[in-house]
Amino acid sequence: MKSFLSITTFIISFYFFSSFFYSVLADIFTEPIGMARFIVIFFGFIISIIISGTFYRFLEDRERTWFPPKRRLLVTAGIIFFLVAVFGIDYWNDYREKPVLAAMKVNVESDSPFYLLIDRNEERLKLTSEKDIKQFFSYFEEVTVQRVKEDEWQLGKAYSLHLYNEKNGHRSFIISNGFIMIGESLYEVIDGDWNPMGVMKFLEEKT
């Protein structure tokens, strides 16, 4: 029983700590790739090993008292149900329909200036006026998206943008006619008046 509980503890710890380190590094780097991704996995793994190992030693002298045969079945069933529920809800939340700004995880009410880097001309654009910020995000306000598999991407004219704000951190995304790639996640536009050319025209006028 202690082995099962320790393995479960490792899985849960690794999942949550990896997500935590990924979110931290996403605020430092445009996208946690390469060495940054290795750091996420490494520290998540090490911390999870320490926690699960400590929990295993803690249970060694208490397993028989705490988990008699009948209770073991209930605990095992409860843990399996918990894991299925947690990962199931996470998967549902990831692939459900949502406003594109929610998928981008951007707080448009931030008082800090927004910086935009347009890859195709390598120009850095700084949006500071409330009018410019509202106009930029107005292109995304009524757009609803849903995450899809990468092999569903329909290649076409696309633009790569990097958005930075002190409170929001880094966000990178690629916009095209019917799709928006946010970080490494691909979303299909399923509702709203999506106009990527309007976005680029607005940015070109500001550069």
Side-chain angles (χ1 to χ4, degrees), residues 95 146-154 174 176 178-188:
Y95 281 87
Q146 185 171 26
R147 187 174 176 182
V148 294
K149 305 294 184 182
E150 288 190 22
D151 56 8
E152 296 183 49
W153 177 284
Q154 297 177 9
I174 298 173
S176 66
F179 294 87
I180 301 176
M181 179 171 277
I182 303 169
E184 297 180 348
S185 302
L186 178 63
Y187 293 86
E188 182 180 7

Side-chain angles (χ1 to χ4, degrees), residues 1 9 17-18 37 61 65 97 124 128-129 150 193 205:
M1 188 66 190
T9 302
F17 278 107
S18 296
R37 188 184 295 278
D61 299 328
T65 304
E97 297 179 10
R124 189 179 180 87
T128 54
S129 73
E150 288 190 22
D193 185 17
E205 291 174 352

Side-chain angles (χ1 to χ4, degrees), residues 82-151:
F82 173 78
L83 291 176
V84 171
V86 168
F87 289 104
I89 292 173
D90 185 65
Y91 182 87
W92 170 83
N93 183 61
D94 210 19
Y95 281 87
R96 68 182 176 86
E97 297 179 10
K98 65 184 71 174
V100 67
L101 291 178
M104 290 180 175
K105 298 179 181 179
V106 173
N107 178 15
V108 299
E109 303 298 330
S110 175
D111 296 329
S112 303
F114 284 86
Y115 295 85
L116 274 166
L117 177 65
I118 309 170
D119 274 358
R120 64 174 184 163
N121 55 18
E122 297 183 351
E123 292 186 11
R124 189 179 180 87
L125 171 64
K126 180 179 179 181
L127 299 179
T128 54
S129 73
E130 185 177 350
K131 179 181 177 182
D132 287 344
I133 293 172
K134 284 186 175 181
Q135 186 173 349
F136 173 75
F137 285 113
S138 68
Y139 292 100
F140 302 88
E141 283 180 350
E142 303 299 325
V143 178
T144 302
V145 295
Q146 185 171 26
R147 187 174 176 182
V148 294
K149 305 294 184 182
E150 288 190 22
D151 56 8

Side-chain angles (χ1 to χ4, degrees), residues 22-59:
Y22 190 94
S23 64
V24 170
L25 290 175
D27 288 339
I28 302 174
F29 301 96
T30 301
E31 264 305 306
I33 59 177
M35 183 58 69
R37 188 184 295 278
F38 172 78
I39 292 173
V40 169
I41 297 174
F42 177 77
F43 279 102
F45 180 82
I46 293 298
I47 293 176
S48 300
I49 283 289
I50 293 173
I51 291 176
S52 60
T54 302
F55 190 47
Y56 182 89
R57 290 190 294 273
F58 175 78
L59 290 174

Side-chain angles (χ1 to χ4, degrees), residues 6-22:
S6 298
I7 293 172
T8 303
T9 302
F10 173 82
I11 294 173
I12 295 174
S13 299
F14 184 73
Y15 175 77
F16 284 106
F17 278 107
S18 296
S19 299
F20 170 75
F21 286 125
Y22 190 94

